[in-house]
Amino acid sequence: MSKKVAVVTGANKGIGLAIVRELCKAKFTGDVILTARNEKLGNEAVKMLKSEGFEVSYHHLDICDQGSAKQLNDATETFGEQAEVTMRTNFWGTLWVCHALLPLLRPNARVVNVSSFVSKKALDTCSPQLQAKFRDTELSEEELCLLMGQFVIAAQQGNHQAQGWPNTAYGTTKIGVTVLSRIQAHFLTKTRAADGILLNACCPGWVRTDMAGSKAHKSPEEGAQTPTYLALLPDGMKEPHGQLVWDKTVQEW
């Protein structure tokens, strides 16, 4: 557990939700726990905040129920635990699938890895040293994997920010996906230059899904536009390749 913990009650909406968001914006150096009586609404609020790049965990709490209050005492998830699970899902899962499928690609294949605009926001809050590493076009996949592992260890030790990492597990894992896509594209250009394969990372945007909640700006159909655009790039095109694309536009990394 981090040295500091912020527990916000009644935080699935209204003032409570606003307090959670402001704590995250202020880069609160600890665990932020959003509590609510309604589990469904509480989890939806957490998913929405995570899609905005904030690290928040949910715990059920009915302040009118003494037993509910006692359960909160020993059931909180640490940032280190969040980091490990999120890294396994977003970065390692993507890496493992790519290792299995990239050797099977045919000429003119298209690969689209789903990243997020949060990766760019997280990159901008990294230390200058980490930013330089993640922007290094010669960074290897092995070096990237080591960096992702170092973040999880630092998060578990509670000193990730002191080591120059952003205070977002989701955002850091998406840095990994974006940079992995650049590395994979470089590898394909080097080993299969004549095959016309294009590989990119994309941000679907803030989409109304189980993760982002009902207040997100885009419908699932609108969120599918950029990934589909990249998947259907015509034969013969050479760009975009190894880029982060959002709203069908290449983003500066």
Side-chain angles (χ1 to χ4, degrees), residues 91 95 99 139-146 180 183-184:
F91 177 74
L95 177 69
H99 279 181
L139 185 72
S140 69
E141 183 179 293
E142 292 76 12
E143 290 169 330
L144 175 62
C145 290
L146 285 173
L180 176 65
I183 293 170
Q184 291 171 335

Side-chain angles (χ1 to χ4, degrees), residues 12 17-18 20-22 24-25 27 34 44-56 116-122 125 167-172 174 203 205-207 209 211-217 246:
N12 62 284
L17 179 59
V20 171
R21 185 178 277 111
E22 289 304 312
C24 293
K25 287 181 178 178
K27 303 186 186 305
L34 181 155
E44 285 180 354
V46 166
K47 290 174 181 177
M48 177 180 66
L49 290 165
K50 286 188 175 182
S51 74
E52 297 173 22
F54 301 133
E55 285 302 323
V56 181
S116 171
F117 69 91
V118 178
S119 68
K120 181 63 168 63
K121 290 174 63 178
T125 62
N167 196 34
T168 163
Y170 179 82
T172 303
K174 291 301 188 178
C203 173
W206 191 24
V207 181
T209 62
M211 177 178 177
S214 60
K215 295 182 180 180
H217 298 155
W246 181 13

Side-chain angles (χ1 to χ4, degrees), residues 3-240:
K3 292 182 179 179
K4 295 181 180 180
V5 179
V7 178
V8 185
T9 62
N12 62 284
K13 62 180 180 179
I15 295 174
L17 179 59
I19 291 171
V20 171
R21 185 178 277 111
E22 289 304 312
L23 284 170
C24 293
K25 287 181 178 178
K27 303 186 186 305
F28 176 76
T29 56
D31 297 317
V32 180
I33 302 173
L34 181 155
T35 73
R37 188 179 338 187
N38 186 301
E39 184 173 355
K40 179 176 182 293
L41 296 178
N43 279 314
E44 285 180 354
V46 166
K47 290 174 181 177
M48 177 180 66
L49 290 165
K50 286 188 175 182
S51 74
E52 297 173 22
F54 301 133
E55 285 302 323
V56 181
S57 60
Y58 166 76
H59 194 276
H60 173 263
L61 175 63
D62 181 350
I63 62 173
C64 297
D65 181 349
Q66 187 176 12
S68 174
K70 288 182 178 179
Q71 289 175 4
L72 180 61
N73 183 53
D74 59 2
T76 55
E77 181 184 42
T78 68
F79 182 79
E81 291 169 335
Q82 293 177 25
E84 183 176 8
V85 172
T86 308
M87 187 67 70
R88 185 166 62 246
T89 301
N90 291 344
F91 177 74
W92 294 112
T94 300
L95 177 69
W96 295 332
V97 170
C98 287
H99 279 181
L101 297 184
L102 289 186
L104 305 179
L105 295 180
R106 299 175 180 177
N108 296 308
R110 302 290 182 256
V111 180
V112 185
N113 291 329
V114 178
S115 185
S116 171
F117 69 91
V118 178
S119 68
K120 181 63 168 63
K121 290 174 63 178
L123 177 67
D124 290 341
T125 62
C126 286
S127 68
Q129 293 80 7
L130 283 172
Q131 288 188 38
K133 289 180 180 180
F134 287 129
R135 290 187 169 113
D136 184 358
T137 57
E138 298 302 317
L139 185 72
S140 69
E141 183 179 293
E142 292 76 12
E143 290 169 330
L144 175 62
C145 290
L146 285 173
L147 285 168
M148 293 294 100
Q150 289 169 8
F151 166 71
V152 172
I153 292 173
Q156 291 171 337
Q157 294 174 342
N159 60 0
H160 56 286
Q161 288 182 286
Q163 294 186 29
W165 293 98
N167 196 34
T168 163
Y170 179 82
T172 303
T173 65
K174 291 301 188 178
I175 289 176
V177 173
T178 300
V179 176
L180 176 65
S181 302
R182 291 161 59 91
I183 293 170
Q184 291 171 335
H186 180 73
F187 175 78
L188 288 170
T189 298
K190 188 175 181 179
T191 60
R192 300 184 61 178
D195 285 345
I197 299 171
L198 297 178
L199 186 154
N200 292 284
C202 78
C203 173
W206 191 24
V207 181
R208 293 189 291 275
T209 62
D210 288 343
M211 177 178 177
S214 60
K215 295 182 180 180
H217 298 155
K218 290 186 176 182
S219 68
E221 291 74 21
E222 290 170 325
Q225 293 304 305
T226 293
T228 303
Y229 158 75
L230 292 172
L232 297 178
L233 288 171
D235 293 357
M237 291 191 68
K238 299 185 181 299
E239 293 289 343

